[in-house]
Structures are given as structure tokens and as C-alpha cells.
Amino acid sequence: MKIDIIPAIDIIDGKCVRLSQGDYDQKKVYNEDPLEVALQFQDAGIKRLHCVDLDGAKAKHIVNYKVLEKIATKTNLTIDFGGGLKSDDDLRIAFECGAAMVTGGSIAVKDPETFLSWISKFGGERIILGADAKNGKIAVSGWQETTSQDLIPFIGEFKEKGISKVICTDISRDGMLQGPATDLYKSILAEYPDLYLIASGGVSSIDDIQRLCEAGVPAVIFGKAIYEGYIKLADLSAFC
């Protein structure tokens, strides 16, 4: 069993940062130049990158597309890009700047019609559903708002409409280095075994990744564990 390793670069003011539980007041800058970080990932044998425009998430439209373009043109990484994508124009810019895939979270809840039109236009392989959850309920708007929608049926609705990839973040764990929500991911995969489920949030060690791999989770996103030195890039070679 293999698991796809997808490190995350979160961007504010063009810099590589991490938040804790989506809190902009708990921001830490790790590198002034996200390209430098991306090249380190590539040199370690990593093929994928998850890029989040946190300024875009706040502004509700794409902001850091120049950073995306720089990484896309100067690395061979396959990039999925998200954060504030709300319009067809946002998507056009993201794809033109080199994103292979884009992630939509809040828009799938608040404007499902637009999100579904993206699936029709670009296909379920290029549009990723961002399903962020708190206590089993969908959370939106940079996690500041919890809805009444249950996570697993929510995923099922979009799977029926053609979605094949889902990033699921248990926001109580994100940036906290307390281990991923493995049981939650197992329950999602029990319901939808052919889903390309990307686990996100809480990864603190190589053992966490190994456990997700053993649970049959197809892919994992993590960032803080690398930036804080809990996971060494060299240690990821077994998975790459």
C-alpha cells in the first residue's frame, strides 16, 4: 500500500506561513520565498504540492497567483491550488498560472451551482472538494463557521456529481501536531472505498503517515510537521 505525500505551502503576503486551526492571529512565517521551499520538496523526490492562498481565502478571490506561477514554472511539482476561489475568472487565473487542480470548499456549500458547473467544465479529476469538518459537521469560511451539514453525506452528494478527489481536514487538529483523524478517514473510506481521499490536519510524525497508509488512506497533506522539524524530508523518501 502506498500513500501520496503532499506537503502544503500556505501563503500570506507572498510568504510561506502556517496557521493553527485556521486562526490568522496565530500566524508563523517559515520562509520569505515559497519557491525555495517548493524546490526543497522537489529535491526530496516529492511530486505533489498543496498550495493555499490564505490572502485569497480572506479576500474571497485569488490573490497570490504570481507565487503559484513562479512555483509552477520553476518546478516540476503537480500543484493543487485553493483559497478564495469563487468565480470562473479565479479558476481561469489559477489554471493559467500553472495549477493542475483546484480545491473548492466554502463555495461547494454556499454556491453549489457554481461548484457543480466547474465539475462539468473541467472534470472531477481537476476539481477537488474541500470538506473541512468540526465534530462531524462541515465548516466553511476559513473555518469560522460550522454548518449543520453532516460530513459523510456531504461528500456523497458531490461524489454522485462526479467528484473523485476530496481533501478532508479535521480542523480541531489542524496545525496542532496531535495526530490525524484516522478513524474519521476510515469511516469515510468505508462508505466510499474508491474515493481519492486526502487526509489533512494533525500529522506530527512519520508514524502518523504510516498509520494513515495502513488505514488505506490514498494521500496525505501536511506542513507544520516539516517546518517545525518533526518530519525530515529525507525520512519521506520511503513514501516517495
Side-chain angles (χ1 to χ4, degrees):
M1 180 71 205
K2 73 183 276 291
I3 187 167
D4 292 334
I5 298 296
I6 311 175
I9 290 180
D10 292 356
I11 307 159
I12 290 179
D13 297 331
K15 299 168 185 173
C16 176
V17 307
R18 292 300 282 171
L19 307 181
S20 293
Q21 295 182 310
D23 184 351
Y24 284 76
D25 293 328
Q26 294 187 59
K27 177 185 78 176
K28 185 170 181 180
V29 177
Y30 286 101
N31 197 306
E32 301 278 328
D33 184 5
L35 174 60
E36 197 176 287
V37 179
L39 286 166
Q40 288 170 6
F41 293 153
Q42 180 172 277
D43 291 346
I46 286 163
K47 308 288 187 202
R48 289 279 309 274
L49 181 66
H50 176 64
C51 208
V52 182
D53 182 358
L54 289 172
D55 291 315
K58 231 177 187 178
K60 295 184 169 44
H61 61 82
I62 193 167
V63 173
N64 285 294
Y65 55 90
K66 289 289 185 192
V67 177
L68 166 64
E69 189 173 44
K70 195 174 172 187
I71 295 171
T73 53
K74 296 186 185 302
T75 73
N76 298 316
L77 296 165
T78 300
I79 303 167
D80 77 75
F81 186 83
L85 303 177
K86 296 284 184 272
S87 68
D88 290 0
D89 205 42
D90 287 334
L91 248 64
R92 178 187 59 77
I93 294 166
F95 284 135
E96 281 179 2
C97 289
M101 294 162 269
V102 298
T103 302
S106 298
I107 190 161
V109 180
K110 297 192 164 187
D111 186 3
E113 209 168 277
T114 295
F115 188 70
L116 290 170
S117 76
W118 294 351
I119 300 168
S120 300
K121 195 170 179 182
F122 299 102
E125 288 300 306
R126 298 194 75 191
I127 306 296
I128 303 172
L129 174 65
D132 302 328
K134 189 173 187 179
N135 302 321
K137 302 286 186 187
I138 289 291
V140 294
S141 304
W143 304 341
Q144 278 137 48
E145 193 184 324
T146 305
T147 72
S148 59
Q149 292 196 56
D150 290 316
L151 171 67
I152 291 178
F154 174 80
I155 292 171
E157 281 172 32
F158 285 102
K159 192 171 182 301
E160 283 176 16
K161 307 286 187 187
I163 279 292
S164 60
K165 298 182 172 82
V166 175
I167 296 172
C168 183
T169 307
D170 180 340
I171 64 177
S172 64
R173 295 169 186 260
D174 187 70
M176 304 307 287
L177 299 169
Q178 292 172 353
T182 309
D183 289 342
L184 175 65
Y185 303 131
K186 279 182 182 173
S187 59
I188 294 169
L189 289 168
E191 198 73 33
Y192 313 115
D194 61 338
L195 185 70
Y196 185 81
L197 178 65
I198 307 165
S200 171
V203 170
S204 63
S205 66
I206 287 290
D207 286 347
D208 285 341
I209 297 172
Q210 189 60 49
R211 276 191 285 274
L212 287 168
C213 185
E214 287 164 4
V217 176
V220 58
I221 287 171
F222 53 97
K224 196 168 188 176
I226 293 177
Y227 300 123
E228 295 282 348
Y230 290 91
I231 292 175
K232 305 281 185 242
L233 285 176
D235 296 338
L236 293 169
S237 59
F239 299 100
C240 298

